[in-house]
Amino acid sequence: MRNTLQLFVAVATFAVASPVLSAEPLPSWNEGSAKRAILEFVERATKQGGPEFIPPADRIAVFDNDGTLWSEKPVYVQAAFAVDRIKALAANHPEWKETQPFKGILEGDLKAALAGGEKALVDVVNKSHSGLTTEEFQTVVKDWIAAARHPTLGRPYNELTYQPMRELLAYLRANGFKTYIVSGGGVEFMRVWAEEAYGIPPEQVIGSSGKTEFEIRDGKPVLVKLPAIDFVDDGPGKPVNINKIIGRRPVAAFGNSDGDLQMLQWTTAGSGLRFGLIVHHTDADREFAYDRESPIGRLDKALDLAPAAGWVVVDMKADWKVVFPQPK
Amino acid sequence: MRNTLQLFVAVATFAVASPVLSAEPLPSWNEGSAKRAILEFVERATKQGGPEFIPPADRIAVFDNDGTLWSEKPVYVQAAFAVDRIKALAANHPEWKETQPFKGILEGDLKAALAGGEKALVDVVNKSHSGLTTEEFQTVVKDWIAAARHPTLGRPYNELTYQPMRELLAYLRANGFKTYIVSGGGVEFMRVWAEEAYGIPPEQVIGSSGKTEFEIRDGKPVLVKLPAIDFVDDGPGKPVNINKIIGRRPVAAFGNSDGDLQMLQWTTAGSGLRFGLIVHHTDADREFAYDRESPIGRLDKALDLAPAAGWVVVDMKADWKVVFPQPK
């Protein structure tokens, strides 16, 4: 009995895990050096007995979100959420009509709103993301993401994920990689829709966070979101948070901006086989084209360092057959 | 071909996941209400189509470490590590001979060392846990845990884990639960030996943390441990950190002290089937006996709240056939 079962397990495991039996991977990627580099990395990493074999437990792959897995233009999706949230809360805050940055947001004058620099931004984040329990906040985000539409592309934000990157996530997972999001975006904002959009469960979503406080409300324990930033998961904060939360150095990192530079450096400096990839936004027709001069998703230093570091630079226009999934 | 494979997968999955085919679970637990409660919880949680079925993705179980999975007497293991580390570093710090809390540690006068209260403790933690890269620190912990011995029990600390709790971890995992450590101990201290001791990988170890900083040293990116506490994962900090890092409310929580109270409350207040368990140290012969009056692992309020909350209280002396694993 036992031997027969072991055979079943072996056959089934082979059937599930073997890329040979699955459909052609990465169908939305054009043939070219980027696709070839991905396929070669996975082949080398998973080749049993090969010199560069990576044990399954170490197959940690980290993905930036804004600009890497979904669009970040004209503004970060979470900024659009914050603006809508300030508008929704304004009735309870008559003083906002006279105080920046809220006055500017309510009047549609973002320039005036953001004239206060970082302090203004922090004000908006804190006011728009606090006061609720963590579970109430989830409901607010869920309702918002279902209703909101991208200002120029006209589709729900969670449909504006990149089809080729979704295929890449699935391909890596089919080959035993554990896929994580490591984003400057808010962790509690992303977790609400990330599992459906990317197949990434809450415990594999890492991001910026606000402080929360344990409290007994009406006899029930809750976590209340405070108007205070806890950690900014961007730039050098990314490897810091990966170390704190995952506790292993990843073997593959995927980003699109200088905010991902240190994550790419730290990941690819580890020993053994490593992989780094940068999504370069080169497609003004199908999405947006930007790099060195863009205030959002600025890609400058990482682009300079990519060739020497051996990071793959994806030319969105040339490498991707489609950008977004078919509308539902 | 496909249908045959699907059948293989189904059979193999059943064979692997079904508790029916495995050996009798929890062999080191005496028959009694605690063992019965655990078995019943798992049976109800995993019964396909049952009214209390918990989907596998939601089967998150969180375990305190000190006093719940291994001994915490006469002092926390990590405190013993910190003392040894201060002694090892003293040669480079001649000034410590004249300054508390270091003077007391070097002279074996812990009372004098800790007269400075919390500030003294923080000083010791910061000085003993900083200055190294995260990878250097791992090596230091690895070497220490291999060499150190418990002062009264005479065995390596990582052999003084509780055999019944190791069986419980394995039993839960065999039934599709994802097991996490959520400890007041340092996350980078625990990860070094937790996988071998408990079968819990680094990314499922949550604990207190120190700040780290990304740096390029000799052309290589490293994370350097700073002399500053980042987060204390104890008491109300436990649900805060669980929410931040796991992002789901667990369905089962296991602790032994008032430091686990809020984790137990938050876990068991969720909707649907929940489970809370407290290890009560009642066995002075085989381990230690302590509760309400103990400065370490004080169990007072949680013990009072347990009956009304429905938390299982394990009587270590009566419920466990053995405490520690057989010496290797």
Side-chain angles (χ1 to χ4, degrees), chain A residues 294-318:
Chain A
S294 176
I296 286 178
R298 176 189 168 94
L299 173 65
D300 185 40
K301 199 170 171 194
L303 197 56
D304 289 338
L305 292 174
W311 302 331
V312 172
V313 178
V314 171
D315 178 338
M316 200 184 251
K317 188 169 186 168

Side-chain angles (χ1 to χ4, degrees), chain B residues 17-35:
Chain B
S18 170
V20 181
L21 293 186
S22 63
E24 193 61 36
L26 309 181
S28 300
W29 291 70
N30 285 316
E31 301 307 320
S33 59
K35 179 174 181 175

Side-chain angles (χ1 to χ4, degrees), chain B residues 128-271:
Chain B
S128 58
H129 284 71
S130 69
L132 303 175
T133 69
T134 50
E135 282 164 6
E136 289 164 349
F137 183 75
Q138 283 166 17
T139 304
V140 167
V141 174
K142 198 175 172 183
D143 291 348
W144 181 83
I145 203 105
R149 294 293 179 272
H150 189 281
T152 61
L153 300 170
R155 295 174 61 182
Y157 289 105
N158 52 350
E159 287 185 20
L160 295 173
T161 55
Y162 304 136
Q163 177 63 24
M165 296 304 285
R166 290 163 55 133
E167 293 168 7
L168 176 53
L169 286 166
Y171 174 59
L172 288 172
R173 287 195 291 262
N175 283 282
F177 286 81
K178 201 165 173 179
T179 54
Y180 280 83
I181 290 174
V182 179
S183 168
V187 66
E188 298 202 77
F189 177 78
M190 294 185 285
R191 280 175 176 152
V192 174
W193 47 264
E195 186 150 21
E196 196 187 322
Y198 307 128
I200 297 181
E203 62 268 32
Q204 285 160 234
V205 178
I206 294 173
S208 297
S209 51
K211 289 189 190 292
T212 66
E213 189 170 57
F214 178 86
E215 209 178 274
I216 306 281
R217 268 191 191 177
D218 305 325
K220 294 194 84 174
V222 293
L223 294 170
V224 179
K225 287 176 72 62
L226 304 179
I229 289 174
D230 174 55
F231 190 83
V232 177
D233 187 63
D234 195 34
K238 290 198 177 194
V240 165
N241 230 1
I242 291 170
N243 176 65
K244 184 159 65 185
I245 294 174
I246 307 181
R248 302 185 200 256
R249 197 191 287 241
V251 294
F254 303 82
N256 78 301
S257 79
D258 285 359
D260 304 311
L261 173 59
Q262 290 85 355
M263 176 168 83
L264 283 159
Q265 288 178 312
W266 194 62
T267 298
T268 59
S271 58

Side-chain angles (χ1 to χ4, degrees), chain A residues 203-222:
Chain A
E203 62 268 32
Q204 285 161 232
V205 178
I206 294 172
S208 297
S209 50
K211 288 189 190 293
T212 66
E213 189 170 57
F214 179 85
E215 209 179 274
I216 306 282
R217 268 192 192 177
D218 306 325
K220 294 194 85 174
V222 293

